[in-house]
Amino acid sequence: MSLLKTDRMVRRVSELELAWLAERGIRGIVSDLDNTLAAWHGDEIPGDILAWLEAVKSAKIGVCLCSNTRRPVRLARIAEKLEVHHVPGNAGKPGRTGVLKALELMAVLPNEALMVGDQLFTDMVAGNRVGLTTVLVNPLANKEFIGTKLISRNAEKLILRGERARPE
C-alpha cells in the first residue's frame, strides 16, 4: 500500500456525500482543521461545511478534529463550538498516535473511519498508516505555513501531477 495514495479527491469536504460514506461503512471521520474545515488559523467555518457537519452528525457519524496546530486552545474552542471530538494538542501527523486517539474518542475501528485533509504528506500519510479511507481536499485558502507553501505543496504537485479536484 502506498502511503501517498488517496481514495478520493474533492474540492471541499462538503462534497462528500452521505451515501458515499454509508456505502463504505464509515462511522467516524477524522478531520484536519486548517485549510480543510477553516482557513489557516481562522475560526470561521464556511456555511456549506457547517451544514455538511450537521448532516454528518445527524447521520450518526462521529467527527474528530486531528490537527498539527500549535494553537491547542483554538482547536478545543472550535471543537466545542462544532460539538465534535478533538485530539488535544498537536496530533503529530503523519505519525499514527493522533489518528489512533481520534478513533478511540469516536469508538470506531480503522476500517470504519475516514481521514479527510488538505495535505498529502501529513493527512493522507497518517490516515493510510492506520488503514483509514482517505480523502484529499483542495486547501480552503492560499495562506498557510511557509514550509507547507514552499516545500510540501510543490512536492504534492509532482506526485499528484495536477490531479487535485477541479471545479466542474
Side-chain angles (χ1 to χ4, degrees), residues 135-147:
V135 176
L136 184 66
V137 299
N138 291 353
L140 284 178
N142 289 327
K143 185 177 177 188
E144 56 193 349
F145 176 65
I146 191 72

Side-chain angles (χ1 to χ4, degrees), residues 16-87:
L16 286 174
E17 309 89 352
L18 293 179
W20 187 86
L21 298 172
E23 287 168 10
R24 283 150 187 78
I26 300 300
R27 295 183 43 239
I29 297 173
V30 180
S31 180
D32 178 47
L33 176 59
D34 288 310
N35 272 337
T36 299
L37 299 181
W40 187 61
H41 289 182
D43 283 7
E44 296 301 315
I45 310 294
D48 64 309
I49 294 175
L50 281 174
W52 177 82
L53 283 167
E54 288 306 314
V56 164
K57 291 188 302 183
S58 293
K60 306 292 187 232
I61 298 171
V63 178
C64 185
L65 303 182
C66 185
S67 174
N68 283 355
T69 186
R70 292 193 170 110
R71 297 178 175 193
V73 173
R74 172 180 160 262
L75 175 66
R77 182 178 63 246
I78 291 172
E80 183 179 344
K81 178 180 169 185
L82 296 175
E83 298 177 333
V84 300
H85 297 285
H86 74 284
V87 174

Side-chain angles (χ1 to χ4, degrees), residues 9-12 15 136-138 157 160-168:
M9 288 187 279
V10 294
R11 286 178 297 149
R12 293 168 75 90
E15 293 178 3
L136 184 66
V137 299
N138 291 353
K157 286 176 189 170
L160 295 171
R161 305 228 196 294
E163 291 300 317
R164 283 222 181 245
R166 292 183 180 84
E168 295 176 5

